[in-house]
Amino acid sequence: MYLFFAAHQNRVSDMVFSLESEWVVSTGHDKSVSWMCTQSGSMLGRHYFTAWASCLQYDQETQHAFVGDHSGQITLLKLERQTYSTITTLKGHEGSVAALWWDPVQRLLFSGASDHSVIMWDIGGRKGRTLLLQGHHERVQALRYLQLTRQLVSCSADGGIAVWNMDTQREEAPQWLDSDSCQKCEQPFFWNIKQMWDTKTLGLRQHHCRKCGKAVCGKCSSKRSTFPIMGFEFPVRVCDACFETIKEEDRTPLATFHEGKHNIAHMDMDPSRGLMVTCGSDRIVKIWDMTQVVGCSLATGFSPR
């Protein structure tokens, strides 16, 4: 017996089957999420977004759906039979959300996007707490959280695999501040016509210190540094004052990086066997030995035909 679900009018981007509720929840490029009954095949509900719905996670116990879209937003919905309610919208990415992972025990949501970043959203704990993780050079397309070891594995389109230590004290990256002049030397930025005229000086380009969030000019932010406690595993711009406060031990990495050597579009893991599988648009599937504390040594690989 087969059931055909006419759930979308365009490409289906993600799908979850819930055995407990007997639902199929799916997202599509028709800018919608839908949920259908697997017993009757009937449509139970649908919600439309302003952009393509690209990825999906579903909490079986609470019937909450997390939907990422191409505008960079994540919408949290409470699904019911024949109805639903919008709980909140999470905004933090500057590019389309490509991957989501929900940990129902610690109530943590992880998202990866085309802006090369990963964000951890603390849904059930500290209100509004988010952690930014930057360690990829390309679009983040797959995520998995290992609850036992408290490690996050993220994979990107260029084959990069990052293993993040989440069992450590981390700090939130500051919000970028707005200013018409450098908050260090007080020189005007190029749009501050009045101050430029009054001081007879040329306007400067605005930058931001990743450690304090202040708006600064290039001269006052000439240094670069890693700062893993805020998720910056690669050197980023910091103001000269903040650079002096960063000690050598503050630069100790909190993530390890590995090369998958193929475009990783999807990834899954079997922690009980210590294996990870990746596949990509190059039609290659690789199986990785993860037993050495997510050590990423290749066990075998094959290209299906």
Side-chain angles (χ1 to χ4, degrees):
M1 177 181 176
Y2 296 92
L3 286 177
F4 295 92
F5 302 103
H8 296 279
Q9 297 179 345
N10 207 322
R11 174 184 171 184
V12 176
S13 56
D14 209 344
M15 182 180 67
V16 173
F17 167 61
S18 171
L19 182 62
E20 289 82 353
S21 56
E22 297 183 335
W23 290 355
V24 169
V25 186
S26 59
T27 55
H29 285 188
D30 57 359
K31 303 179 182 179
S32 76
V33 57
S34 67
W35 53 107
M36 305 187 70
C37 177
T38 58
Q39 294 299 308
S40 63
S42 60
M43 175 74 71
L44 299 176
R46 186 193 300 273
H47 173 76
Y48 283 95
F49 306 94
T50 58
W52 287 355
S54 50
C55 49
L56 167 70
Q57 284 287 280
Y58 180 71
D59 187 286
Q60 306 277 359
E61 182 179 351
T62 64
Q63 295 182 334
H64 285 100
F66 303 89
V67 182
D69 65 37
H70 274 243
S71 73
Q73 298 184 162
I74 303 167
T75 304
L76 172 56
L77 302 169
K78 169 67 173 176
L79 306 185
E80 306 280 359
R81 297 186 73 90
Q82 309 300 331
T83 186
Y84 70 93
S85 57
T86 303
I87 306 301
T88 190
T89 301
L90 306 176
K91 300 177 181 180
H93 286 290
E94 297 179 359
S96 60
V97 181
L100 291 173
W101 185 260
W102 169 245
D103 176 49
V105 177
Q106 296 188 30
R107 305 195 67 76
L108 301 174
L109 178 69
F110 299 92
S111 58
S114 61
D115 59 7
H116 311 170
S117 70
V118 176
I119 296 179
M120 187 203 82
W121 311 83
D122 193 347
I123 302 297
R126 304 170 183 84
K127 293 183 178 179
R129 182 171 183 255
T130 60
L131 294 177
L132 177 67
L133 305 174
Q134 292 192 335
H136 287 283
H137 297 291
E138 270 294 343
R139 172 188 177 97
V140 180
Q141 301 193 133
L143 296 167
R144 288 295 182 273
Y145 179 66
L146 301 174
Q147 194 179 105
L148 184 62
T149 58
R150 295 195 176 185
Q151 291 172 297
L152 175 70
V153 182
S154 58
C155 302
S156 56
D158 61 355
I161 301 173
V163 182
W164 306 86
N165 177 14
M166 304 306 295
D167 191 24
T168 186
Q169 188 67 33
R170 290 182 177 272
E171 297 179 8
E172 292 186 69
Q175 295 290 322
W176 286 4
L177 302 178
D178 293 324
S179 180
D180 292 328
S181 58
C182 176
Q183 293 180 304
K184 294 295 182 180
C185 68
E186 300 183 350
Q187 290 293 304
F189 293 131
F190 64 84
W191 61 82
N192 190 347
I193 305 298
K194 184 180 184 304
Q195 187 178 348
M196 288 167 56
W197 178 265
D198 292 342
T199 59
K200 302 296 188 293
T201 57
L202 291 175
L204 305 175
R205 182 182 176 187
Q206 178 183 256
H207 301 282
H208 283 91
C209 172
R210 300 318 194 259
K211 187 175 185 294
C212 68
K214 289 183 178 180
V216 291
C217 67
K219 184 178 179 180
C220 294
S221 59
S222 59
K223 303 292 195 302
R224 301 290 186 276
S225 177
T226 61
F227 199 52
I229 196 171
M230 281 189 180
F232 300 117
E233 294 288 340
F234 297 153
V236 292
R237 181 186 295 272
V238 293
C239 67
D240 294 351
C242 284
F243 183 83
E244 297 301 323
T245 67
I246 301 176
K247 302 175 182 177
E248 195 58 39
E249 54 265 30
D250 295 332
R251 297 185 174 93
T252 303
L254 296 177
T256 58
F257 299 93
H258 312 272
E259 180 53 57
K261 297 183 180 179
H262 76 137
N263 175 303
I264 300 177
H266 302 283
M267 176 261 293
D268 205 349
M269 304 185 72
D270 183 352
S272 63
R273 300 171 61 191
L275 296 176
M276 179 178 81
V277 60
T278 60
C279 61
S281 57
D282 52 7
R283 298 189 300 167
I284 292 177
V285 176
K286 292 185 178 182
I287 301 173
W288 304 77
D289 176 9
M290 309 292 289
T291 56
Q292 302 299 316
V293 196
V294 196
C296 289
S297 59
L298 182 62
T300 184
F302 60 92
S303 176
R305 291 289 185 263

